[in-house]
Amino acid sequence: MLSVVPEEPHHGEDHTIGGAARESSLIDQIVRDGARRMLAEALQAEVETYCAQFAHERDEHGHRLVVRNGSHQPREVLTSAGAVEVTAPRVNDRRIDPDTGQRRRFTSAILPPWCRKTPKINEVLPLLYLHGLSSGDFGPALGQFLGSQAGLSSSAITKLTETWKAEQRTFADRDLSGVDYVYLWADGIHVNVRLEEHKLCLLVVIGVRADGRKELVALADGYRESTESWADLLRDCARRGMRAPVLAVGDGALGFWGALREVFPQARAQRCWFHKIANILGALPKSAHPGAKKALAEVWNAEDRRHALDAARAFEATYGAKFPKAVAKLTDDLDELLAFYDYPAQHWIHLRTTNPIESTFATVRHRTKITRGPGSRAAGLAMAFKLIEAAQHRWRAVNAPHLVALVRAGAVFEAGKLIERPDDHPQPEAA
């Protein structure tokens, strides 16, 4: 059992600030020593299991073909617990692969030969870079916290950005014929670029697969949010085998909707309520905002389409005479705003807004500044890709994921409920 006996302070030594610093340092050291010991034990157990698995394989002299063979040179690995020195055990595997004729090699699943930073650290680096930390600041900023600046030099971060750019290009060229995206969210995200005059416009598309999982579909840089930029992105997705979605969710940017009609005309449109409410409130005086918000909530949060239409008429009756422009922003797009009512009620919360994109990029919108953003458009695109890739692991599937496949199959839903015999039910009231 590990026990720690702190040193007695010398006579006249400060017991507060210095003592707190030593205590903090001692805690960090205990955590790192514990992490080092646990990692060493895990690596040792992994090697012993590997050797035991092939203990029966022997050469013509009866000697085992797979044995321990000392240890590798110690190396420092950056982990979320700080810098940990690791001495990985080595394996001598003399077996021959019959297909290649080459000797087999043992590769640790815990600590690959190339690993100098854990995946959690690799997730943090693009986040910090995209949020404004320059490549030369990683060592001073993280070195003291992690206990080492190894792997955090300016050149190391620059090499990482080149790797991220290559990963983004591979992602952009992947085949999409083997996946089916039933729902799509699309939005344009503007990111400041340090060395360029204009902002980088990221065109982001996130989809829901037939099994209910959310996934990044496409990411590209465009000229603002023009129709041609969106059309290029959607055409590229179609060229790589992407099937038309059932429903696409986006804000009021006309570029995306024009491109969607051109490339995937069979897809239905759902306007984002988050953006629409902001547009309507922008046409109203602040004194009217509380009442308008409540009235609009009666529309988007209604129990079904019929009640939503009634609430929209009530909003028009209340504000139409004084604020016709604000009312027109609602009534002109009512069909697209209420499209989600034709799908499972469990999915409504996901389909009303572009929140999956908005929440992922919320901090980017607020933190990127012209002096601290990525240094180029290519770097900004790569950083955004790594940001979404890291966030993607934390996305949860849509509610009732089993219903997504029914939506793709063309099932009919009324008031959010599945209609098993749609021919026996009247069509819902149109806006």
Side-chain angles (χ1 to χ4, degrees), residues 1-114:
M1 180 175 180
L2 179 65
S3 61
V4 178
V5 180
E7 297 181 357
E8 292 292 331
H10 298 293
H11 179 71
E13 188 177 19
D14 179 50
H15 291 258
T16 56
I17 299 177
R22 285 195 306 276
E23 182 181 358
S24 176
S25 177
L26 184 60
I27 291 175
D28 290 337
Q29 188 60 44
I30 292 172
V31 170
R32 289 170 186 164
D33 286 345
R36 177 179 53 79
R37 294 177 184 179
M38 291 179 66
L39 181 56
E41 292 177 3
L43 292 171
Q44 179 71 24
E46 183 185 35
V47 167
E48 290 177 354
T49 300
Y50 184 82
C51 293
Q53 182 181 356
F54 304 105
H56 63 282
E57 298 192 24
R58 301 175 180 267
D59 61 14
E60 62 274 13
H61 303 293
H63 298 151
R64 293 171 59 175
L65 294 176
V66 182
V67 295
R68 273 287 309 274
N69 186 27
S71 302
H72 292 283
Q73 291 293 324
R75 57 173 153 149
E76 201 171 62
V77 179
L78 290 182
T79 73
S80 54
V84 177
E85 187 178 84
V86 180
T87 302
R90 190 162 50 190
V91 175
N92 182 16
D93 192 338
R94 295 187 291 121
R95 296 175 301 141
I96 303 298
D97 189 330
D99 297 329
T100 63
Q102 302 294 323
R103 283 185 58 172
R104 297 184 183 274
R105 296 177 61 89
F106 165 75
T107 301
S108 173
I110 300 173
L111 187 69
W114 46 262

Side-chain angles (χ1 to χ4, degrees), residues 129 133-141 149 152-155 157-158 372:
Y129 191 89
L133 196 65
S134 64
S135 58
D137 291 337
F138 276 84
Q149 294 190 19
L152 298 175
S153 65
S154 179
S155 60
I157 300 301
T158 301
R372 284 309 217 185

Side-chain angles (χ1 to χ4, degrees), residues 120-135:
K120 284 295 181 184
I121 296 296
N122 284 328
E123 283 184 12
V124 168
L125 297 183
L127 280 168
L128 294 178
Y129 191 89
L130 186 59
H131 289 180
L133 196 65
S134 64
S135 58

Side-chain angles (χ1 to χ4, degrees), residues 15 25 48 86 91 98 165 186 192 217 237 255 260 288 323-324 423:
H15 291 258
S25 177
E48 290 177 354
V86 180
V91 175
K165 290 177 186 178
N192 289 323
V217 179
C237 291
L260 185 70
F323 311 108
D423 293 340

